[in-house]
């Protein structure tokens, strides 16, 4: 009798695990379907479907990495007006939520996007100090080399122009040099090299 009871418990736990696994698999499929639509060039109808699917992933997923990436992509779509109406305030809210989750790569991308919103003043009041804090986090502690290079270039420009801090040509040179030395982000590399030419160091 005890053996039968134990078998029933094991079977129940196994079946519950299978249901959870199936649920997560379905959510993952939904995310990758959305991603494929999102990445389609010149297809707003598909991107609109992607937006809706990302929202479902955010609501249903318990996977922090998956949820963070969906939130980040929703923020990017809102900031670019891809598949939905452009809305920088909503973009800011999505990026804020994405950076709060335990997903280091997506966290770095979300912080970089937030920093750009504060730097330019899109959807939020322009705030160089907040932008610098976020750029610093991405430039010095990130697992994404692409956004790390972009953050270093932006910090170099901020030190060079005295945006949110006193002008410091040495710090500007150091950050721009780091941005220019990397090879993964060619646009940033070109901008950094151009900026270095104008520094009198």
């Amino acid at each position: 009798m005890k053996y039968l009871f134990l078998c029933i418990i094991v079977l129940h736990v196994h079946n519950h695990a299978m249901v959870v696994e199936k649920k997560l698999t379905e959510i993952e499929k939904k995310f990758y379907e959305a991603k494929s639509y999102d990445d389609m060039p010149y297809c707003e109808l598909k991107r609109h479907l992607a937006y809706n699917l990302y929202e479902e992933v955010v609501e249903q997923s318990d996977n922090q990495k998956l949820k963070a990436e969906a939130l980040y992509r929703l923020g990017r779509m809102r900031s670019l007006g891809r598949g939905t109406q452009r809305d920088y305030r909503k973009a800011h809210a999505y990026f804020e939520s994405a950076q709060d989750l335990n997903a280091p790569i997506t966290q770095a991308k979300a912080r970089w996007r937030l920093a750009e919103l504060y730097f330019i003043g899109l959807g939020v009041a322009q705030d160089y100090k907040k932008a610098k804090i976020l750029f610093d986090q991405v430039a010095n502690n990130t697992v994404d080399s692409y956004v790390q290079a972009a953050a270093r270039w932006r910090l170099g420009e901020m030190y060079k122009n005295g945006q949110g801090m006193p002008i410091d040509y040495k710090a500007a040179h150091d950050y721009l040099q780091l941005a220019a030395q990397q090879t993964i982000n060619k646009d940033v590399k070109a901008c950094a090299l151009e900026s270095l030419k104008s520094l009198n160091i």
Side-chain angles (χ1 to χ4, degrees):
M1 186 69 179
K2 184 185 290 184
Y3 176 77
L4 179 62
F5 180 69
L6 287 173
C7 285
I8 292 171
I9 291 176
V10 171
L11 183 62
H12 174 74
V13 171
H14 177 70
N15 288 340
H16 179 70
M18 287 183 65
V19 170
V20 172
E21 183 179 350
K22 183 177 180 181
K23 180 183 177 185
L24 289 175
T25 301
E26 289 302 315
I27 292 171
E28 287 170 356
K29 285 180 180 178
K30 194 171 290 187
F31 171 80
Y32 288 114
E33 181 183 1
K35 187 174 182 295
S36 69
Y37 294 155
D38 187 10
D39 294 338
M40 281 183 180
Y42 314 115
C43 189
E44 284 303 295
L45 179 60
K46 290 291 187 182
R47 286 174 178 166
H48 181 70
L49 290 174
Y51 188 89
N52 292 335
L53 286 169
Y54 285 141
E55 285 189 316
E56 291 180 26
V57 171
V58 169
E59 290 175 3
Q60 298 171 16
S61 181
D62 294 323
N63 183 319
Q64 291 232 336
K65 290 183 179 179
L66 205 66
K67 189 171 185 175
E69 185 64 20
L71 284 163
Y72 169 76
R73 285 176 170 266
L74 284 167
R76 190 181 65 174
M77 294 179 84
R78 276 294 185 182
S79 66
L80 298 174
R82 287 176 48 163
T84 187
Q85 186 177 356
R86 179 173 287 171
D87 188 325
Y88 291 117
R89 286 185 180 276
K90 288 186 178 179
H92 177 271
Y94 282 129
F95 293 141
E96 280 279 10
S97 296
Q99 74 145 354
D100 289 338
L101 296 175
N102 185 24
I105 294 176
T106 306
Q107 190 177 62
K109 294 188 295 184
R111 283 178 178 167
W112 172 63
R113 294 272 182 179
L114 280 171
E116 287 291 337
L117 291 179
Y118 281 116
F119 179 80
I120 301 170
L122 296 173
V124 291
Q126 189 177 52
D127 191 327
Y128 289 138
K129 289 184 178 180
K130 283 186 179 179
K132 183 184 181 300
I133 289 170
L134 290 163
F135 281 135
D136 276 333
Q137 290 174 346
V138 178
N140 300 315
N141 300 288
T142 189
V143 290
D144 189 312
S145 299
Y146 190 91
V147 295
Q148 183 182 54
R152 286 174 171 175
W153 167 72
R154 184 65 88 182
L155 284 168
E157 289 293 314
M158 291 176 77
Y159 276 113
K160 176 185 170 184
N161 298 315
Q163 293 167 304
M165 75 272 295
I167 290 175
D168 186 334
Y169 291 128
K170 176 64 169 61
H173 178 272
D174 291 345
Y175 276 114
L176 292 171
Q177 188 72 27
L178 287 170
Q181 286 172 347
Q182 57 78 37
T183 57
I184 194 168
N185 192 330
K186 293 180 179 179
D187 290 337
V188 162
K189 183 182 182 73
C191 290
L193 287 170
E194 191 65 29
S195 293
L196 282 169
K197 291 178 185 178
S198 63
L199 281 176
N200 297 320
I201 293 182

